[in-house]
Amino acid sequence: MRHYITLFALLALFFSNSAFSQGSPNYKGGFKIKFDDNDNKYVRILTWVQTQANFSDSRPDDQADVSFQLRRARLLVYGQLAKDFLILTHIGINSLNAQNMDPLGADGAPQVFMHEAWAQYDISDQITVGGGLHYWNGLSRLNSQSTLNLMTLDNNRSSWATLGLTDQFARHVGVFAKGNFGKLQYNVAINEAIVNGLDTNPLSDTNAVYQGANILGTAEAGKTYTGYFAYNFHNLESNFLPYKVGTYLGTERIFNVGAGFFHHPNGAIIVKENQSVGENVNLFAADLFYDAPIGENGASLTSYAVFQSNDYGTNYFLGPYSSGEMLYGHFGYLLPSAKSTTRFQPYVSYNYTFIDASDQDRTIFGLGINAYLNGHNSKLTLEYKSESFGTINQNTLSLQAMIYL
């Protein structure tokens, strides 16, 4: 682990003269092709890559403790011919490593696939509606987290609360509405539930399984309903796109209080009297987000806290998903700097999850530091994470490099 800490420090020093902002000062709105002078006709292109070196103390004996992976490689394009409608497409690949690569790049597990594709229309200044494969998720801020400007190394996994259970990689096919009423922002959606989800556990009379759409059919368990509402006490955040900012690095003063829900009638199945019986899945969350500059030398605070109540069915448990309650929070401090040089941001995160199906609770502690070489556009992150659940105690150390254009 000392080698990774040393490498991180050397890279940070090497780039210590880089310019800084939330995005690069050279970025200036990114790659945007304009077709008129009023900014009503345009196409914008974004691309980003995140690559990691990971150390774990709990790998099998026949596997190396250190591994490398391509965490994300994405391409996102959106545009419009008039200000009243927009189209967006997003493709990419996730978590490509030695264990799942294919020798010819044809049949490996992580493939380039469609993350999102939707169209939307402005009905009024307060209401926009749309449909397709979309990311207008409800429940909490982290359930629509952007991966371009995370503060922690990655998102709190349990906050992507339906990933693979009812959706395709945190995206549903459905219809949505979103907008603002003053400082109150909202987004709501009605979506299809995926039939072939991740949960393939056998039916049980003691533990629910998330197979309602598959077993009961889509007429009875095929739709999900979700929404998120946030009140902006200071500056009004943009909700032009669904991707929630992780940290503004002192460029905005934001204080939001939010609440959301996810409802899936008969989404879960349990056996009663030798019959498959549907159980409603109900998730609720309330969260706080605060991000603001401090003083005159560029310092800033970023903090987030969420309480999430999870009812996936009776005694449900599958990896990061479980019926019970979750408390999660993170806190970061962007160190002051009188000059526009590389910026450092130490942070801490903590997850405590109460699991109905177990007398053991899960805790996840994270400690890390970001080095912003050119704002979020060029960033290094070093993070230590410790996860404890029952007899499992797993420790990992990760170094990630990210560039986005």
Side-chain angles (χ1 to χ4, degrees):
M1 287 190 287
R2 289 179 298 180
H3 297 296
Y4 289 99
I5 296 172
T6 302
L7 176 60
F8 177 82
L10 289 174
L11 287 171
L13 288 172
F14 178 76
F15 288 102
S16 62
N17 291 320
S18 297
F20 162 81
S21 67
Q22 183 195 350
S24 165
N26 303 317
Y27 194 60
K28 296 180 180 179
F31 299 131
K32 192 171 186 179
I33 306 170
K34 297 182 179 182
F35 299 104
D36 67 6
D37 296 329
N38 298 320
D39 208 26
N40 291 329
K41 299 180 181 180
Y42 66 85
V43 172
R44 185 175 178 187
I45 303 168
L46 294 91
T47 182
W48 63 102
V49 169
Q50 297 168 344
T51 185
Q52 294 179 350
N54 299 300
F55 167 85
S56 175
D57 64 358
S58 58
R59 298 184 192 275
D61 292 339
D62 63 342
Q63 295 185 17
D65 292 337
V66 177
S67 65
F68 306 100
Q69 74 165 343
L70 177 63
R71 180 64 183 92
R72 293 180 181 92
R74 305 281 186 84
L75 176 67
L76 187 150
V77 180
Y78 66 89
Q80 60 184 38
L81 290 177
K83 64 179 182 179
D84 294 333
F85 60 88
L86 176 142
I87 185 172
L88 181 146
T89 57
H90 177 190
I91 62 174
I93 194 169
N94 304 284
S95 301
L96 182 69
N97 56 57
Q99 302 295 324
N100 55 35
M101 295 173 68
D102 181 81
L104 300 178
D107 298 317
Q111 290 293 307
V112 174
F113 66 94
M114 185 68 71
H115 282 65
E116 291 150 317
W118 81 75
Q120 66 183 47
Y121 304 85
D122 292 342
I123 303 301
S124 69
D125 291 340
Q126 292 79 32
I127 302 173
T128 297
V129 299
L133 179 63
H134 67 88
Y135 195 54
W136 290 101
N137 296 324
L139 191 58
S140 75
R141 183 183 185 90
L142 293 191
N143 204 27
S144 296
Q145 174 67 63
S146 169
T147 58
L148 285 177
N149 44 48
L150 289 155
M151 187 187 71
T152 53
L153 179 77
D154 214 321
N155 199 26
N156 178 51
R157 180 59 183 84
S158 299
S159 292
W160 273 319
T162 61
L163 192 155
L165 297 179
T166 67
D167 58 43
Q168 176 175 281
F169 218 80
R171 283 82 174 174
H172 285 94
V173 170
V175 294
F176 63 84
K178 57 98 173 182
N180 304 322
F181 289 99
K183 290 194 172 185
L184 177 65
Q185 294 182 320
Y186 72 92
N187 58 269
V188 293
I190 302 174
N191 300 312
E192 296 283 351
I194 193 172
V195 174
N196 56 334
L198 288 175
D199 193 344
T200 58
N201 286 325
L203 297 179
S204 167
D205 59 1
T206 58
N207 300 77
V209 296
Y210 211 136
Q211 299 179 27
N214 182 28
I215 293 175
L216 299 179
T218 57
E220 190 171 347
K223 296 293 187 293
T224 69
Y225 308 86
T226 188
Y228 181 69
F229 307 85
Y231 188 82
N232 295 244
F233 287 93
H234 294 314
N235 294 344
L236 183 67
E237 282 194 284
S238 171
N239 68 344
F240 178 70
L241 296 177
Y243 316 110
K244 301 298 186 184
V245 172
T247 175
Y248 284 97
L249 305 180
T251 61
E252 296 281 352
R253 184 176 297 275
I254 305 292
F255 177 44
N256 294 348
V257 176
F261 69 93
F262 175 86
H263 175 57
H264 186 184
N266 298 309
I269 296 290
I270 197 164
V271 176
K272 293 182 178 180
E273 298 179 354
N274 296 320
Q275 297 291 324
S276 297
V277 178
E279 293 190 328
N280 294 340
V281 174
N282 288 301
L283 313 178
F284 300 95
D287 56 8
L288 299 169
F289 176 68
Y290 179 76
D291 193 299
I294 298 175
E296 302 297 328
N297 291 323
S300 68
L301 289 176
T302 299
S303 60
Y304 178 79
V306 61
F307 168 77
Q308 186 169 306
S309 175
N310 301 317
D311 183 1
Y312 290 98
T314 303
N315 293 323
Y316 187 81
F317 180 75
L318 180 70
Y321 317 109
S322 60
S323 289
E325 286 77 41
M326 179 191 74
L327 293 169
Y328 171 80
H330 59 232
F331 176 84
Y333 178 62
L334 184 66
L335 298 176
S337 175
K339 298 180 180 180
S340 297
T341 59
T342 294
R343 305 296 302 279
F344 294 95
Q345 181 187 49
Y347 65 83
V348 61
S349 64
Y350 188 71
N351 178 317
Y352 196 97
T353 303
F354 304 88
I355 300 174
D356 290 349
S358 173
D359 58 2
Q360 301 287 332
D361 300 328
R362 175 188 284 130
T363 61
I364 305 174
F365 171 75
L367 184 65
I369 186 169
N370 292 310
Y372 296 98
L373 313 178
N374 212 321
H376 280 295
N377 294 93
S378 180
K379 178 176 71 172
L380 297 174
T381 302
L382 181 69
E383 183 180 275
Y384 164 77
K385 182 173 285 187
S386 177
E387 180 173 353
S388 177
F389 175 59
T391 59
I392 299 173
N393 193 348
Q394 178 176 315
N395 299 286
T396 59
L397 182 68
S398 300
L399 176 64
Q400 176 176 279
M402 184 189 84
I403 293 177
Y404 93 80
L405 302 176

